[in-house]
Every structure is written in structure tokens, then in C-alpha cells.
Amino acid sequence: MDILQTLSKLVNESGFAGFFLNDGWKYLVMIAVACVLLYLGIGKKFEPLLLVGIAFGALLTNIPGAGLYHMEMWDAYVNEAGYDPINNVALYETTDDGIRKISVEEYLAGYTGENKDKVEESIVEHLSFTDVAHHGGLLDILYIGVKAGVYPCLIFIGIGAMTDFGPLIARPSSLLLGAAAQLGVFFAMFGAMLLGFTGPEAGSIGIIGGADGPTAILTTSKLAPHLLGPIAIAAYSYMALIPMIQKPLMRALTTEKERQVKMEQARVVSKVEKIVFPIIVAVFVILLIPSTAPLIGCLMFGNLLKETGVTERLSDTAQNALMNIVTLFLGISVGATTVATRFLTFQTLMIVVLGVVAFMFSTIGGLLVGKLMYVLSGGKINPLIGSAGVSAVPMAARVSQDVGREANPNNFLLMHAMGPNVAGVIGSAIAAGFLIAVFGG
Amino acid sequence: MNTLALTAGRLGIGDAGIAAVLGYAVVFVGLVLLMCVVILMGKAMAGTRNNASASAPPQAAAPAAPAVPSAPPAPGSAGEVKLFDVPDKEAAMIMAIVADKMGKPLNELRFKSIKEVK
């Protein structure tokens, strides 16, 4: 045994050597970015339940040689191209006209002898989830849950089980605010298209304005999976920054008199109404836009579990155990998509900027319709509850409460803002359904 | 604007604008329709409740009124608080916090009910 040769082999195959190869420095930068995200999650408590998982996934995927996640394999899967698992190469190339698939024969022309036979034997022409499980790393296998749209929907069951739609049922006009606060989704989508993003990419970027992480992840995984990392990170980071983004806009767009409005207590909602509501919403919204079925179906199923009163064990599991387990898998597998060579681009920077624009315009949309309702109701509706229509439950409603109390310490807007807040969840799911229906092909 | 143009490649400013306006309109129309459905549901439920109460047998004669009518709550008393899924201890804490935040003594406030928002 040649000790020097063995040591040399070990050094060359170590992850450290990977930092000195082409673009190796990018992995170091991404490890630093992951550490910053970990700091934001742990130190600053920015949506820690998901951000810590995403950051650690980003850390793991950017360690050269770890082989936990194979971006090229998923590229091959998305583009329905062949895949060489030995060399981790997707059999397609990007041209000015789009994607050109490379045939197996064409690809093998670059190989000779024994190597050629070995590669030919292992090439997978049409990848399935089974092939991913066979050739992929741990994070590839966990990522199947994202790609198949399973995790976001399971999280929606948990969200449904934690949501009280009572304030929305008591004041159905809250739905108008939930609709208005989707302005940012379509404004950012328009901006992204003008900046040169394709329709599916622009739709995925726009949905950041829905302020709903699982919806953003589901939409992006279907429309533009190559942008999943930056979009998920932008969505969750901005959700944590909601008070900083919304408060200045709320103060700027409303008058002191408007902010001081004390709203009348809404009517009491009966148990039967709460049980019937998820059934009616699921049937009606899915009939209206069938592509919302996974999100609305799971959201309303979770809510029904909560409201029936006879499925307490299931409701408890959906709210706690299921939600926690799925959050674990979702965070780490979404983080895994932030591979350095794909993440450190100008595109990511544009997504981050468009994301904040989306959040701002969603807030503005909600506030403007809130002001309209203030006028039409003869000053009975406080326009501050409009900004809660951006989803982000319950953070956005708390912001409405805080700003309302600044103007009038006796004002308690929280329950009134919860109506638009949960309406925003339905609104962003409908927006996502529209984007998937139009751009999903 | 056609579906093929939307799903492939980049869009011109006109198509991009139409897609954005159409999307916002669809969300609005969808939620306005849902609002109508929820209003109808509320009215139907209220109607059912009214019918049920109208058809219910009349209550047995009320027991004789107490000899001494109960006095109205003393000014400034907390009154009778109805608690829904809230333990007494938490209710006391909530009332104390509200009084503190409002800068008013607790005995000048009247709480009607406290309900846990789940």
C-alpha cells in the first residue's frame, strides 16, 4: 500500500479540496450566508421554526463532496432529460431557443472503453421519484416531498387546524381586504416580467407578496423549481420583517382620525356555522378554481378537524406533531436547493428586491381598500385592518393592533384584523391557483 | 395573449400587464363570490335559528321573582365576566394587563366576556 498515494487521494477527495476547484469559493460564500441566516433565525428570532431548517439545509448542501443534494438530477427531472448518476450530469443544454435534450448516444460519444460501458449502464433516461430515491442523497429524498407538493399541503392542514375563521364569518366583508392585499403578488409579477423573468418565474416571485410560505413554496416548486431557494428565503425573511415593512406604510397612508376608529364588536358565530364554513369554502373555491384544490382542500380539512369537536386527537396531531415533523423536512429540503452556483447570481438579488416590493404593495392594496370601506361604512371600519389582509397569520393582525393602539390606547383591533388576516390565506391560495393554472402549462 | 405565450419564454409589456390585471381581477371576483356565499350561509343559519326558537314550546312559568331585586353592579365593579375556555387565573391576568395598558384602575373597567382565540 502506497501511503503517500492514499493520503493524496484522501486530500483530493475531501471537501476542502472542493473549495479550490472552479467556483469553489462560491461554496464558502454560501456557507457564510447560511451562517448569517442561522444568526437571523436563532439570534434575531426571524421565523426560527423554518429559517433555522432552511439555513442548515443551505449549509449542508454547500459542503463540497457531501452529496446530500444533486441539483443536476432535479434539473434532469424537471426537463424530462436523461441523467448520468456517476458523473452527476443532466443530459440537456440551454440554448437561445430554450432547452435542447442530449440523446444518450450523443452523450456517450465522449466516452470510450470500459468507462463508456459503465456510464451507459447507469444512465437513467426518464427519471422518476424511484430513481431519485435510488441515486440521490438524503436531502434529494426529502426534497421529493416538496417536488410532489406534499409538505406545503400537510402544513396547510396544520394551519387550518390552528385557524379560527369566526371573525371572517362574522364579517364577510373581510374577504374584500384579503383580496385587495394580493395586489403585491401581481404587481411584483408584472415587475419581474419587465425585468426579463419568464411567466412561470415571475408568477413564483410574485407569490412572495401573498406572505404565505407554504403557498410560495408549492407555487414555485410547480412553476420555477430552480428559484425555490431564493424565493423561500425571501418569503420567510420578509414575513419576519412584517412589522418593519408595514408600520411606516400604515402610518403614511392613514390619517390619525382613521387610525383612532373603534370598531363595533362583531356578532357571535355559532358552532354550526363554523362547521359548515370549511365544507362550503372547500367546495365553492375548488369548483371556481380547481388548481387551488391541494391548498384550499387541506386548509379546510384541517379547520374542519378543529371545529367538529369530535376529532380532537386528529386536530391536536395536525396542529402539533404533524406540523412540526413536516416543518423539519420542509425547511431542510428547501434550504438544500440553495446550491452556490445557482444561488449566487444577480437573479437572486432581483428576487430579494421584488419580494420586498411585493410585500409593500400587498400592504398598500389592503390599506387602500380599507380606506374605501372606512368611507363607505361612514367611518365604522378602521382602515388599519386592511394591511392584515396580506396573510402572515397572526403577525399582520398584531401589527394592525399595535398601530391602532398607538393612535388610541383604548382601541383593540386584533379580533377585527383576524378576519382579513385569514381571508388573506384564502386569497393567496386563490392567487396561487390562478398562477399555477395559467403558467403551469 | 395566449396560453402558449404565457407558459413559454418571456412576455411583452402588454401581455405582462394583461396577465397581472387578469390575475388580480380573478382573485377579487373569487373572493367577492365567496363573500356572497358566506353572507347567504349566515342568513340561512339565522333563519334556521329563528324558526327553531319560534317553534319551540313556551317555557314553563318563570319562578317567582326574588323578594329583593338584585342590585345593579356597583359603579366601577368588574361585573360578571363570562369566560370561554379561559381559566380564572388567566382571566385575572388578562384583566390586569388590559387595565395596565389602558392606564385605568381595574375597578373602573367592566369586562363582559373573555374568550380564547384558537
Side-chain angles (χ1 to χ4, degrees), chain A residues 100-221:
Chain A
R100 190 184 80 81
K101 290 175 193 171
I102 300 170
S103 68
V104 176
E105 292 74 29
E106 196 182 341
Y107 178 70
L108 288 172
Y111 289 90
T112 52
E114 203 177 302
N115 269 352
K116 185 176 179 179
D117 295 341
K118 209 171 152 190
V119 171
E120 188 174 9
E121 243 174 59
S122 64
I123 279 184
V124 185
E125 284 193 61
H126 299 286
L127 276 165
S128 65
F129 285 152
T130 313
D131 296 314
V132 173
H134 184 66
H135 298 291
L138 174 68
L139 296 182
D140 288 309
I141 295 166
L142 293 181
Y143 184 70
I144 291 173
V146 177
K147 192 71 204 112
V150 175
Y151 299 152
C153 295
L154 290 179
I155 286 201
F156 254 52
I157 293 180
I159 292 173
M162 288 193 279
T163 304
D164 178 10
F165 283 101
L168 173 60
I169 302 169
R171 187 175 279 121
S173 59
S174 300
L175 283 159
L176 294 176
L177 298 169
Q182 306 308 314
L183 175 67
V185 173
F186 297 101
F187 188 86
M189 182 184 88
F190 178 66
M193 285 173 178
L194 293 188
L195 287 172
F197 285 96
T198 64
E201 288 173 341
S204 303
I205 294 167
I207 202 68
I208 297 174
D212 193 325
T215 304
I217 288 171
L218 182 77
T219 309
T220 309
S221 68

Side-chain angles (χ1 to χ4, degrees), chain B residues 1 4-5 13 15 23 37-38 51 53 57 63 67 73-74 79 83 86 88 91 94 97-98 103 105 107 111 115 118:
Chain B
M1 187 176 73
L4 189 66
I13 187 166
D15 279 348
V37 170
V38 175
N51 288 343
S53 59
L83 302 181
V86 181
D88 289 347
I94 290 166
I97 291 166
V98 171
N107 63 355
F111 294 85
K115 181 184 175 190
K118 290 178 182 171

Side-chain angles (χ1 to χ4, degrees), chain A residues 162-164 169 172-173 175-176 178-180 182-183 186 189-190 193-194 196-200 267 270 272-274 276-277 280-281 284-285 288-289 306 369 405 409-410 412 415 423 426-427 430-431 434 438-439 441, chain B residues 3 5-39 41-43 45-46 49 98 101-102 104 112-113 115-118:
Chain A
M162 288 193 279
T163 304
D164 178 10
I169 302 169
S173 59
L175 283 159
L176 294 176
Q182 306 308 314
L183 175 67
F186 297 101
M189 182 184 88
F190 178 66
M193 285 173 178
L194 293 188
F197 285 96
T198 64
R267 71 177 175 88
S270 71
V272 179
E273 279 178 281
K274 287 188 174 181
V276 173
F277 179 79
I280 286 183
V281 172
F284 180 78
V285 175
L288 195 68
I289 304 176
K306 170 184 181 285
V369 172
R405 270 181 48 78
N410 295 337
F412 290 91
M415 281 312 289
I426 300 174
I430 292 181
F434 170 82
V438 173
F439 296 119
Chain B
T3 310
L6 285 175
T7 52
R10 290 168 175 80
L11 298 184
I13 187 166
D15 279 348
I18 291 171
V21 171
L22 183 66
Y24 197 40
V26 165
V27 173
F28 240 106
V29 170
L31 287 181
V32 166
L33 290 174
L34 183 60
M35 182 180 81
C36 297
V37 170
V38 175
I39 290 171
M41 181 188 81
K43 287 193 187 302
M45 294 288 170
R49 270 198 302 273
V98 171
K101 291 271 182 188
M102 292 178 69
K104 288 190 176 179
K112 290 182 178 174
S113 67
K115 181 184 175 190
E116 185 187 356
V117 181
K118 290 178 182 171

Side-chain angles (χ1 to χ4, degrees), chain A residues 180-264:
Chain A
Q182 306 308 314
L183 175 67
V185 173
F186 297 101
F187 188 86
M189 182 184 88
F190 178 66
M193 285 173 178
L194 293 188
L195 287 172
F197 285 96
T198 64
E201 288 173 341
S204 303
I205 294 167
I207 202 68
I208 297 174
D212 193 325
T215 304
I217 288 171
L218 182 77
T219 309
T220 309
S221 68
K222 288 196 182 298
L223 299 182
H226 55 289
L227 299 181
L228 187 59
I231 285 176
I233 287 173
Y236 281 107
S237 304
Y238 290 139
M239 256 184 276
L241 294 173
I242 278 257
M244 276 182 254
I245 296 170
Q246 287 198 320
K247 282 184 179 177
L249 291 169
M250 292 163 84
R251 291 185 195 114
L253 291 174
T254 54
T255 63
E256 183 76 11
K257 189 183 166 201
E258 287 169 342
R259 290 197 292 272
Q260 285 178 343
V261 171
K262 284 181 85 170
M263 291 177 65
E264 287 172 16

